Amino acid sequence: MASYVFIVFTIIKMPSKGGLQKAFSTCTSHLTAISIFHGIILLLYCVPNANSSRLLVKVATVLYTVLVPMLNPLIYSLRNKDVKETVKRLISSKLHSHSI
């Protein structure tokens, strides 16, 4: 956690506004991926060791091994403006088609 705080302070000291935005964009993508990854690990650690929680452990394990690697390219590609616009258009077209 301390290293991330140090990185944020270093980014804030950057003189260039464009560089600042690009650096925060990269950090946000990385922190999103790391948060999902470590959040699932924390969930697995905190689940009690009982028969009733076996399904939760199985689902979390699948999320950990399958979902996280699948989401990484999506999370990092959202830094691209063209990808962001395409995702926004897809979501708004789906929302409009369901509301009609």
Side-chain angles (χ1 to χ4, degrees):
M1 199 64 168
S3 63
Y4 287 112
V5 171
F6 181 72
I7 290 169
V8 168
F9 282 129
T10 303
I11 291 171
I12 290 172
K13 293 178 186 177
M14 292 178 74
S16 166
K17 295 278 187 201
L20 180 74
Q21 184 178 8
K22 193 178 244 186
F24 268 124
S25 174
T26 302
C27 284
T28 303
S29 300
H30 176 71
L31 287 175
T32 302
I34 293 298
S35 297
I36 293 170
F37 183 76
H38 287 292
I40 293 172
I41 291 173
L42 184 63
L43 173 74
L44 287 172
Y45 181 75
C46 293
V47 170
N49 193 9
N51 287 337
S52 62
S53 62
R54 294 217 186 267
L55 178 62
L56 178 63
V57 169
K58 287 180 183 179
V59 169
T61 303
V62 168
L63 290 174
Y64 176 79
T65 57
V66 176
L67 187 67
V68 172
M70 286 175 49
L71 284 179
N72 272 341
L74 176 67
I75 290 169
Y76 285 104
S77 67
L78 287 176
R79 291 176 39 216
N80 185 328
K81 289 179 184 178
D82 295 332
V83 174
K84 281 183 189 177
E85 290 301 318
T86 303
V87 169
K88 285 178 186 177
R89 280 194 309 248
L90 281 171
I91 291 172
S92 76
S93 70
K94 294 292 181 184
L95 290 175
H96 290 296
S97 67
H98 287 295
S99 64
I100 294 176

